[in-house]
Each structure stands twice: as C-alpha cells, then as structure tokens.
C-alpha cells in the first residue's frame, strides 16, 4: 500500500517527505531528492497523526542502533485516507512484532545466560573480557535474528542488561569495576594494614587491585614499589584469584630476582616463578623445542671474548682493503685504543678497542633490523656511516659463529623465545594468569616483544601484564632500554591502565621540591605527584665548591658526633672518586662513607649524599653529536640532556636528609645553573656570576612546582 500527496501538496511541502509505502516489514518514504527505507526493527510502531488546514501529516519515530532517535514526517497526505493507512500500518507492525516475540521467546534463555556472564562476573572485568563478550553477543544477536526493540517490549529488564552492555559496555564496565574496587578495599582493609611492615597507603592499595590486561604502575623514588609487588602477589593468592605457580615475576638482574624470591618465600609463596628475562627465555625455548639452548662462551667468558675478537681483528686488519677503510676512518675520527701510526693488526689485542666494538655489535643486534634499514638510520651522519661500515662485517661474523656452533647469546635467547611464543603462545602461556615486571622503565624493544607474545595470542583469557617502573628513573639507554615503551604505554595498549604511587617515604619535602620539578622540565616525562611523608621548611639541597669538599665532610661529621649515619658520595663516573676517600672512611667510621657512580646509586639510599664533580662537560656528560651510537639511540624531538637529567634526578633522590652538590666554582654544570636560576629551593655558596646562563634556563612547569 502506498499513499502520496497530490501534485499541489508536493509542491507546497517542497523538500519534505510527501509519500509513504508499506512493504514487507519496511516503511518506504519519498521526498523530491531522497527515498528512505526504514525496517520495522527500528520503528517504534506508533503513527502520530495530525491534521492541517488542507492535508494531514504522519510522524514516525525511528531509532537506528548506531544513531540517536529521530522523527520522520510525511506531509500533504489526503486526510480521509489516512485513518485506513494507519490501521494497515499498525496491523502489519503488530503482526510482525508477534512473530518476533515468538522467535525471541525461543532464544530468550540464551540471551539471559549471556547477560549473566557479565553481570555475574567475579573480580575485575578486563577490557578483553568485555570485548570477547561483545563479539560473542553480537554473533548471537545476528544468528538469532533478535531486534533490540522487540527485546525492549518482550523483556525490558533483559533489554536494559543485555543491550545495555552491547551499546554502552565501556561505561558499564567502569561502573562495575569501581564498585568491585570499593568492595575489595573494604573487605581487605585489615589485611592491607598488616601485610607489610607498615600499612599500605591508599595509592598502594589501589595499585594492588589493578587487574586489566595491561597495567602500568608508576612508582617514584622511595614510594614502596617492592611492597606493592609483594602485597599484590599475596593478595592474588589469598583472594583465590589464582595459585602461586600461575604467577610469573620478571626482573632484569639476577640479584633483584633472588631478593624477590626470598621475600616471597618468607611469605610462604615459594612456587611463584621469579626469574630474569634471560632465564625465562631459556625455559620457554626448552619447553617448546624440547632442547635447552646452548649459551655461547662469547656471552659469558671474558677470556673467550678477548680471544675471539683478537683473532678476528688480526685476520681482517691484515687485509689491505679492510686496513685502508679503518685508516681512512682514523684520519677523521678516533677509535678507542687504536693508533694510526702503528700497524693496526699489531693492536688487535687492545682492550679499549674490544670494549667499544662489543658495545657497537650489541647495539646493532638489539636493533633487530635489516642492513638496509640500519643504513637508512645512519644516513647523513658521516661518522656513523663510517663506523657502521667498520662494525657491520664484525657483527655478521659474530652471528655466523653463533649459528655454526648452534649457540645463542643473551640477545638470541630473547629473540628465539619470542619467535616460539608467537607461534605457540596460547599453549605455553595458558599456564599463567599474571605476568609481573619490575623496573619496567628499563625494558628494551626485544624484551617488550617477548612480553607481548607472552600476554597475547588467541585464548579465553590471556595473562594480565602488571608492569612497575618509573620513567623518571630510566637511565639505561646505553644498554638498550627505551623509555618511550613506558611513556607511550597507552599508545601501545590503548585500553591499558596507568596508576601511580603518590607518596615517597625516602626524602622529605625540601628535597622533593627540588627533584620533582627538575625532572618534569622534560615534557616527555609522565606527570605525576610524589608527595613526601616528611615535611620541613629548611632547605636541604646545597650548591657548593668542590674545594670545600673535605671541610663540608668535617662539619657534617662534627654535627653527627658519635651517632651512626650514612653518607653516599656519587660521581658521574669512577674518575670522580676523591683521592682521600679511604682516609676519610678510616677517620669517620660512624659516617659509613661509600662511593658509587650515579648509575650504581639506583636503588640505594643514604642519610646524606655528596654529588661530586657536577661540572661542565662532566655531569651532564659531554655527549657526541655524531657517530653510530648517537644515530642508533637518538630520539626524535627529545630535549637536550634528557637521559642525563634522569640520571641526575636519580642521584638527587638518594638522600633522606640532605644533599650537597659539588662543582668547580668557575665551571658549574648547566644543571647547577638551572637549580640556582630556576626558582628551586636550594642554598648556594657559589659565585653568582658563574651561575648565570647565557640564555634563559629551561622552564619549570607550574604544575610540577605545585605538587
């Protein structure tokens, strides 16, 4: 049946709809420029009739699944024919609706079961849980031919639940998880009070409950990340969400993994798998191939490395073409340990050259790129291009040696395990529910790929990744770590969750007022509050001349008397260790004086710290502006001294009570100048003229200063 406006009426309504037709389970509307078909499934079944001076108007409400509800009106219809049309439209719709209700009743119980899967879900509802359900529910709706409008009439409660999750799942998931967290915090309140030596603070408790597919916990210096790792592991077992053997805890070093294993064993959790990345990779390879990988002596034995490298250099540097290439390089740039005035092959045993070459080989292997891709990366940097030409043949010979011996090095362990996991992750990873990573800011691209393979794949519920780290303390770029894997966490895992521990128990507010804004000058560092439990008004960071080092030490010792204290002297490198260090240790044993490099200070703390030789060209270290290492490790758009700034932040935050920064009075570091001119709460006994910048110091974000 079709009803249309007359020619005159069509002219009067101009661009509006002037015709309506009833087809099988559809309404068809016509206007001058458009024909629109509306299925009964999105029509509410109502015909809204109104009369004008000459003609009638019909209005319909339609609700497309992916759009807001809207009205469609048909104008200029002959009034005396409208009642008959409305009766036919309504009867046709009711007939269709009755058949749909009968169909719905046959599958209603299955939709109820699907709804109850989510509403009855125990624990945290992960994003992947919801996406799997949405996929399954969408298939069911299409297969059963169920229309939302029919469900809303036949079973309003089911409609609100089932289709609510389909259409507004993210908001409903957040509400459900918020309620779950509140319940868990109340239920486990006393347990959180006693699980560690001190009650967990609110941000630590929230961190323990993180359980999405990809979780990043930003844990600032002294904020108790180890307590959270231990508490979370025990909570997962105590709450019966998993068992100890289904938890993996990964660390970067053997010492760190052993310490975590000991703490867990003390808590009665001996079956938690605590491992380094390399040990875990070895397990993966053995489990999925049936054979344990053979680790090359070149990866573990310094004598073997020395012998192999010496032989390779002696053999290749005697070749005229190779020698010519190396001499050409030496005519423009230096190489550690090599003298162009002597026969190159005679210097094949030089340790400094070996150290540099192994570093470059390791760097190239970590890139995991083709020769063409790496050539492109160094293109335009003449020194980098030349160094690449020297090192590439060495790297290829090294890889050939490993392949022929059927051996791997540490990089090879990670890569081989990743390949196997990509093929068999669903099988291997099914034995785990939770993957935890300590010091995540030190992650390298190859380790990240292994983690993704371990936590990915097609399975009912993949392991949850719980990464704990602090991008402010990412200081191992030279070893292959990539801080962007932390700072760009949500770009890699869009549905991931980031939380932070907002309280530090190490240093008081005056040290925090210097260190926290200083690191956040770099806009690429993730912003977070880090509030000190202890507050004080007296400034605790001192800028002083290196000439006063012993006098400052004498005064500090006198102020402490016979009371025990700890003093950590920190240098950018070992060259900063004072000549009188041993005599000072003997003279003031109650101070427990130690010396460490800035990198080695990570994870340590002391009552007082002396930062030594914070001079121009020393700290921040004077970096090269060209060369293979610069080309391979450079980050587009990163601010100057970004890595050194993080390293300086690490050194600053080792002190519990006070920190002295020593520098040459006429050659202070740019960091010293920034601390003086940048409105930081520091005390200075340096000449003001030496502290002046030739240009304005880096800006401090106001938000960082107010934390």
């Amino acid at each position: 049946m079709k009803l249309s406006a007359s020619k005159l009426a069509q002219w009067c309504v101009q661009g509006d709809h002037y015709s309506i037709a009833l087809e099988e389970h559809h309404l068809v509307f016509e206007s001058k420029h458009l024909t629109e078909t509306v299925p009964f499934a999105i029509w509410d079944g109502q015909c809204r009739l109104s009369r004008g001076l000459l003609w009638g108007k019909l209005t319909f409400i339609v609700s497309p699944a992916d759009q807001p509800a809207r009205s469609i009106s048909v104008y200029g219809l002959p009034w005396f024919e409208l009642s008959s049309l409305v009766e036919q439209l309504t009867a046709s719709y009711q007939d269709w609706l009755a058949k749909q209700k009968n169909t719905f009743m046959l599958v209603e119980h299955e939709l109820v079961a699907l709804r109850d899967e989510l509403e009855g879900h125990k624990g945290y509802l992960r994003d992947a849980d919801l996406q799997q359900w949405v996929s399954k529910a969408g298939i069911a709706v299409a297969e059963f031919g169920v229309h939302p409008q029919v469900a809303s009439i036949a079973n309003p409660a089911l409609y609100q639940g089932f289709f609510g999750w389909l259409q507004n799942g993210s908001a409903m998931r957040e509400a459900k998880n918020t309620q779950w967290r509140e319940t868990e915090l109340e239920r486990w309140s006393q347990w959180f009070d006693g699980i560690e030596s001190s009650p967990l603070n609110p941000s630590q408790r929230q961190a323990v409950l993180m359980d999405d597919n990809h979780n990043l916990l930003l844990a600032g210096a002294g904020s108790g990340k180890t307590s959270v790792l231990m508490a979370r592991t025990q909570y997962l077992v105590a709450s019966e969400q998993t068992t100890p053997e289904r938890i993996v805890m990964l660390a970067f070093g053997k010492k760190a993994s052993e310490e975590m294993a000991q703490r867990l064993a003390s808590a009665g959790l001996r079956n938690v798998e605590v491992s380094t990345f390399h040990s875990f990779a070895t397990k993966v390879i053995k489990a999925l191939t049936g054979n344990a990988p053979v680790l090359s002596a070149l990866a573990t034995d310094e004598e073997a490395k020395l012998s192999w490298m010496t032989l390779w250099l002696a053999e290749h540097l005697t070749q005229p073409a190779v020698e010519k290439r190396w001499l050409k390089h030496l005519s423009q740039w230096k190489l550690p340990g090599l003298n162009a005035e002597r026969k190159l092959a005679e210097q094949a045993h030089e340790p400094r050259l070996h150290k540099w070459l192994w570093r470059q080989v390791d760097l190239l292997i970590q890139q995991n790129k083709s020769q063409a891709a790496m050539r492109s990366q160094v293109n335009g940097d003449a020194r980098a291009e030349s160094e690449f030409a020297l090192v590439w043949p060495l790297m290829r010979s090294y890889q050939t040696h490993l392949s022929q011996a059927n051996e791997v090095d540490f990089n090879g362990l990670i890569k081989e395990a990743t390949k196997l996991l990509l093929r068999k992750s669903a099988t291997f990873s099914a034995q785990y529910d939770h993957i935890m990573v300590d010091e995540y800011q030190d992650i390298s691209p190859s380790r990240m790929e292994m983690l993704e393979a371990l936590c990915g794949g097609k399975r009912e519920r993949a392991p949850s990744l719980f990464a704990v780290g602090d991008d402010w303390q990412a200081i191992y770029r030279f070893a292959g770590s990539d801080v962007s894997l932390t700072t760009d966490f949500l770009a890699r895992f869009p549905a991931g969750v980031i939380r932070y521990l907002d309280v530090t128990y190490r240093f008081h507010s005056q040290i925090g007022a210097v260190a926290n804004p200083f690191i956040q000058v770099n806009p690429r560092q993730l912003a977070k509050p880090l509030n000190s439990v202890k507050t004080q008004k007296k400034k605790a960071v001192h800028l002083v001349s290196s000439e006063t080092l012993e006098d400052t030490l004498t005064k500090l010792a006198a102020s402490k008397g016979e009371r025990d204290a700890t003093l950590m002297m920190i240098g950018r490198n070992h060259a900063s260790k004072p000549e009188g260090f041993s005599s000072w240790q003997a003279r003031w044993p109650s101070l427990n004086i130690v010396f460490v490099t800035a990198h080695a200070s990570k994870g340590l703390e002391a009552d007082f710290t002396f930062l030594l030789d914070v001079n121009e060209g020393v700290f921040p270290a004077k970096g090269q502006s060209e060369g293979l290492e610069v080309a391979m490790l450079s980050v587009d758009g990163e601010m100057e001294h970004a890595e050194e700034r993080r390293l300086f932040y690490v050194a600053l935050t080792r002190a519990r009570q006070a920190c002295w920064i020593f520098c040459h009075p006429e050659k202070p570091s740019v960091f010293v100048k920034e601390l003086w001119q940048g409105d930081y709460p520091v005390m200075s006994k340096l000449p003001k003229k030496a502290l002046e910048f030739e240009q304005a110091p880096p800006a401090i974000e106001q938000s960082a200063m107010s934390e």
Side-chain angles (χ1 to χ4, degrees):
M1 179 181 180
K2 181 176 181 179
L3 188 62
S4 300
S6 65
K7 294 291 186 182
L8 176 61
Q10 290 182 31
W11 181 83
C12 290
V13 301
Q14 296 188 3
D16 292 321
H17 294 101
Y18 57 75
S19 170
I20 178 172
L22 172 63
E23 296 185 359
E24 186 178 13
H25 307 153
H26 291 81
L27 301 176
V28 180
F29 301 93
E30 284 186 79
S31 65
K32 184 176 181 180
H33 303 293
L34 178 69
T35 298
E36 184 175 2
T37 300
V38 174
F40 281 2
I42 66 171
W43 173 37
D44 68 355
Q46 301 294 314
C47 300
R48 294 157 179 85
L49 179 62
S50 58
R51 183 172 185 175
L53 291 175
L54 300 175
W55 304 291
K57 180 180 76 169
L58 271 181
T59 300
F60 304 83
I61 304 298
V62 297
S63 304
D66 56 347
Q67 299 173 22
R70 62 187 178 90
S71 63
I72 299 177
S73 295
V74 185
Y75 298 88
L77 298 175
W79 176 254
F80 295 105
E81 297 179 48
L82 277 178
S83 295
S84 175
L85 173 66
V86 168
E87 288 179 5
Q88 290 189 47
L89 293 180
T90 303
S92 180
Y93 176 82
Q94 291 299 326
D95 181 60
W96 171 84
L97 182 60
K99 293 177 181 177
Q100 290 297 318
K101 285 182 178 180
N102 290 335
T103 301
F104 176 79
M105 290 175 62
L106 295 175
V107 299
E108 184 177 13
H109 66 286
E110 298 195 43
L111 299 182
V112 169
L114 276 170
R115 177 201 62 187
D116 291 347
E117 276 188 28
L118 286 189
E119 296 192 349
H121 180 87
K122 294 182 179 180
Y124 188 94
L125 183 64
R126 299 176 188 170
D127 176 72
D129 297 332
L130 176 60
Q131 298 310 318
Q132 287 179 2
W133 183 90
V134 167
S135 176
K136 184 164 54 174
I139 292 172
V141 167
E143 181 180 333
F144 299 152
V146 175
H147 298 289
Q149 189 164 317
V150 175
S152 70
I153 297 171
N155 189 333
L158 175 60
Y159 169 78
Q160 289 183 354
F162 183 88
F163 287 97
W165 280 106
L166 265 182
Q167 297 167 3
N168 198 26
S170 294
M172 292 181 69
R173 183 177 80 94
E174 180 58 34
K176 182 177 178 64
N177 285 336
T178 298
Q179 183 178 14
W180 174 81
R181 278 192 295 266
E182 291 173 354
T183 301
E184 287 295 282
L185 288 171
E186 177 65 27
R187 178 186 175 193
W188 293 87
S189 177
Q190 290 187 349
W191 189 87
F192 285 141
D193 286 342
I195 192 60
E196 287 288 303
S197 57
S198 298
L200 299 185
N201 66 41
S203 65
Q204 289 174 328
R205 296 177 191 221
Q206 290 282 1
V208 167
L209 299 180
M210 293 174 73
D211 195 28
D212 221 301
N213 299 95
H214 303 100
N215 310 275
L216 173 61
L217 178 63
L218 297 173
S223 61
K225 70 177 179 66
T226 304
S227 293
V228 170
L229 279 168
M230 296 301 113
R232 172 170 166 74
T233 307
Q234 294 175 74
Y235 162 76
L236 289 171
V237 175
S239 61
E240 299 183 346
Q241 295 182 43
T242 190
T243 55
E245 60 273 7
R246 295 186 64 81
I247 300 174
V248 176
M249 193 173 289
L250 296 174
F252 286 87
K254 186 176 180 181
K255 181 180 178 182
S257 68
E258 289 175 346
E259 289 175 353
M260 287 194 291
Q262 289 172 1
R263 288 194 61 169
L264 288 170
S266 299
L269 297 178
R270 297 182 180 276
N271 291 334
V272 172
E273 186 172 344
V274 184
S275 175
T276 64
F277 276 86
H278 293 127
S279 295
F280 187 77
T282 300
K283 175 183 176 177
V284 170
I285 296 170
K286 185 175 181 179
L288 295 181
T289 67
N291 298 307
V294 179
L295 192 60
S296 172
L298 297 185
T300 58
D301 188 332
E302 290 301 320
E303 287 296 325
K305 291 177 69 174
L306 174 66
S307 175
W308 187 87
M309 181 66 79
T310 300
L311 288 173
W312 189 91
L313 287 169
E315 177 185 345
H316 286 77
L317 291 178
T318 55
Q319 299 174 16
V322 175
E323 184 182 34
K324 182 179 179 181
R325 185 187 306 131
W326 283 63
L327 287 172
K328 181 180 179 181
H329 180 90
L330 287 170
S331 68
Q332 296 179 269
W333 304 285
K334 293 181 180 180
L335 284 175
L338 271 192
N339 185 346
E341 302 300 320
R342 296 172 51 201
K343 281 282 188 180
L344 297 185
E346 294 176 359
Q347 304 172 68
H349 62 283
E350 173 55 50
R352 287 175 296 170
L353 177 61
H354 285 205
K355 182 178 180 180
W356 183 83
L357 286 172
W358 281 120
R359 170 76 190 109
Q360 308 311 306
V361 167
D362 189 56
L363 186 63
L364 293 184
I365 291 175
Q366 287 182 21
Q367 300 303 305
N368 198 24
K369 298 176 181 176
S370 66
Q371 182 181 11
M374 285 191 276
R375 280 191 183 280
S376 175
Q377 195 167 342
V378 302
N379 187 41
D381 182 335
R383 181 171 181 173
E385 291 175 351
S386 180
E387 290 177 351
F388 181 78
L390 301 184
V391 177
W392 178 261
L394 171 62
M395 189 198 76
R396 295 299 300 152
S397 295
Y398 173 66
Q399 291 181 320
T400 299
H401 170 83
L402 294 178
S403 178
Q404 291 176 346
N406 198 25
E407 297 172 340
V408 293
D409 59 7
F410 290 115
N411 286 313
L413 281 175
I414 300 294
K415 290 181 180 179
E416 182 61 25
T418 301
K419 289 179 184 177
L420 292 168
L421 285 171
L422 287 171
R423 294 201 300 266
K424 302 179 180 180
S425 177
T427 303
F428 182 84
S429 299
Q431 62 188 301
Y432 301 118
D433 293 327
H434 298 275
I435 311 296
M436 301 190 194
V437 182
D438 190 21
E439 301 290 1
Y440 180 79
Q441 76 279 348
D442 297 333
I443 197 80
S444 64
S446 60
R447 288 181 175 88
M448 185 71 251
E449 289 175 9
M450 187 175 82
L451 280 179
E452 287 184 296
L454 182 62
C455 296
K458 295 181 179 179
R459 70 197 82 175
E460 185 65 25
R461 204 171 199 240
S464 168
L465 172 63
F466 184 81
V468 182
D470 183 14
D471 63 295
W472 294 3
Q473 300 184 77
I475 58 174
Y476 292 109
R477 180 189 294 176
F478 68 89
S481 68
D482 184 349
V483 68
S484 71
L485 296 176
T486 302
T487 56
D488 296 341
F489 188 82
L490 293 182
R492 180 174 289 269
F493 306 116
V497 175
I498 298 180
R499 288 187 179 274
Y500 48 77
L501 302 182
D502 58 9
V503 176
T504 179
Y505 297 91
R506 178 180 299 157
F507 49 81
H508 54 67
S509 57
Q510 281 294 318
I511 293 177
V514 175
N516 297 342
F518 176 83
I519 189 61
Q520 292 183 86
V521 165
N522 184 349
R524 289 201 174 186
Q525 304 296 161
L526 296 174
K528 64 176 181 288
L530 187 60
N531 305 305
S532 299
V533 168
K534 305 169 190 173
T535 60
Q536 76 172 45
K537 295 182 179 180
K538 183 180 179 181
K539 295 177 181 179
V541 177
H542 308 268
L543 309 179
V544 290
S545 169
S546 296
E547 298 169 349
T548 67
L549 175 57
E550 188 164 0
D551 288 343
T552 305
L553 179 56
T554 302
K555 291 177 182 178
L556 176 61
S559 70
K560 301 307 295 180
E562 297 300 318
R563 291 171 295 168
D564 282 343
T566 53
L567 170 62
M568 185 186 303
M569 294 186 175
I570 304 173
R572 176 60 183 81
N573 48 51
H574 289 286
S576 293
K577 187 174 182 178
E579 292 183 4
F581 178 75
S582 297
S583 64
W584 295 340
Q585 284 182 308
R587 183 178 174 185
W588 294 296
S590 62
L591 278 182
N592 297 292
I593 307 172
V594 297
F595 173 85
V596 293
T597 64
H599 281 98
S601 74
K602 175 76 170 64
L604 305 178
E605 59 183 68
D607 295 321
F608 307 99
T609 58
F610 285 5
L611 275 57
L612 309 177
D613 291 341
V614 187
N615 301 326
E616 180 183 342
V618 177
F619 204 167
K622 186 177 181 180
Q624 295 180 344
S625 60
E626 57 183 1
L628 184 58
E629 193 163 339
V630 173
M632 289 295 160
L633 296 179
S634 63
V635 178
D636 290 340
E638 187 172 59
M639 74 178 299
E640 187 179 16
H641 304 311
E643 181 93 351
E644 291 287 306
R645 181 176 291 271
R646 291 190 289 268
L647 184 59
F648 192 70
Y649 169 81
V650 167
L652 270 177
T653 54
R654 300 309 96 190
R656 288 188 286 262
Q657 297 182 33
C659 171
W660 284 263
I661 300 173
F662 293 88
C663 65
H664 191 290
E666 296 181 3
K667 298 178 181 178
S669 154
V670 292
F671 290 164
V672 174
K673 293 180 180 180
E674 180 182 336
L675 291 180
W676 172 246
Q677 292 197 15
D679 197 27
Y680 295 89
V682 297
M683 296 282 288
S684 175
K685 293 185 178 180
L686 295 170
K688 290 185 178 180
K689 187 174 182 180
L691 295 173
E692 293 177 357
F693 267 104
E694 294 181 4
Q695 56 186 13
I700 305 173
E701 293 290 338
Q702 191 62 38
S703 60
M705 288 296 293
S706 64
E707 296 293 358

